[in-house]
């Protein structure tokens, strides 16, 4: 994922958590916050220690970022997204996780019409 699509600052995460809307399924929670100042969409991934060790957390972050990168042309502009990984996602393979990410993104209406 390119730097301009990353959500990194603590203040940005806090803003999305506070003012954004959340959508969830059994594997993921998605926070969506519309920001006209942002050129394109930006993505952040949060994985707590509850889901596993550092290897597992980083693996989940990499997989979700790759899935979003492949769906980038379908995602609307001017929006910040945060994915929170739940324990159920660690037992999924790549294809199952792809469907789960797409499902929660559809629930959040972040795909272009």
């Amino acid at each position: 994922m390119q730097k301009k699509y990353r959500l990194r600052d603590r203040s940005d995460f806090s803003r999305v958590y506070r003012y954004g809307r959340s959508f969830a399924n059994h594997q993921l929670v998605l926070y969506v916050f519309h920001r006209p100042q942002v050129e394109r969409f930006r993505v952040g991934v949060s994985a707590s220690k509850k889901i596993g060790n550092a290897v597992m957390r980083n693996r989940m972050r990499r997989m979700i970022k790759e899935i979003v990168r492949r769906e980038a042309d379908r995602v609307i502009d001017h929006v910040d997204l945060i994915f929170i990984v739940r324990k159920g996602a660690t037992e999924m393979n790549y294809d199952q996780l792809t469907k789960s990410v797409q499902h929660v993104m559809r629930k959040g209406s972040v795909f272009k019409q």
Side-chain angles (χ1 to χ4, degrees):
M1 177 140 313
Q2 297 175 8
K3 276 191 175 183
K4 59 185 173 182
Y5 299 131
R6 290 186 199 156
L7 193 61
R8 305 274 315 235
D9 295 334
R10 183 179 181 90
S11 61
D12 289 335
F13 270 80
S14 296
R15 184 180 307 112
V16 175
Y17 287 139
R18 180 172 289 143
Y19 302 113
R21 295 194 58 209
S22 65
F23 305 92
N25 59 19
H26 292 292
Q27 298 81 24
L28 300 165
V29 178
L30 172 65
Y31 279 87
V32 179
F33 181 58
H34 295 276
R35 290 194 61 198
Q37 303 92 337
V38 178
E39 179 181 322
R40 296 253 345 221
F41 69 93
R42 297 188 303 174
V43 176
V45 180
S46 175
S48 75
K49 288 186 177 182
K50 292 178 185 177
I51 68 163
N53 61 9
V55 174
M56 181 58 70
R57 294 193 306 268
N58 288 328
R59 179 175 181 268
M60 297 310 297
R61 283 189 198 108
R62 286 192 309 269
M63 287 175 64
I64 290 173
K65 286 179 183 177
E66 176 62 18
I67 292 166
V68 173
R69 186 191 67 81
R70 288 179 178 222
E71 300 288 336
D73 56 336
R74 296 176 55 198
V75 178
I76 60 176
D77 295 332
H78 312 295
V79 69
D80 286 343
L81 307 171
I82 295 178
F83 289 91
I84 300 174
V85 182
R86 289 182 169 172
K87 185 75 172 166
T90 60
E91 295 140 11
M92 302 177 89
N93 64 27
Y94 184 79
D95 293 329
Q96 292 170 331
L97 190 61
T98 300
K99 289 180 182 175
S100 182
V101 169
Q102 290 172 344
H103 174 255
V104 79
M105 289 175 80
R106 271 194 305 277
K107 281 178 81 171
S109 302
V110 296
F111 285 134
K112 294 177 183 173
Q113 297 298 327

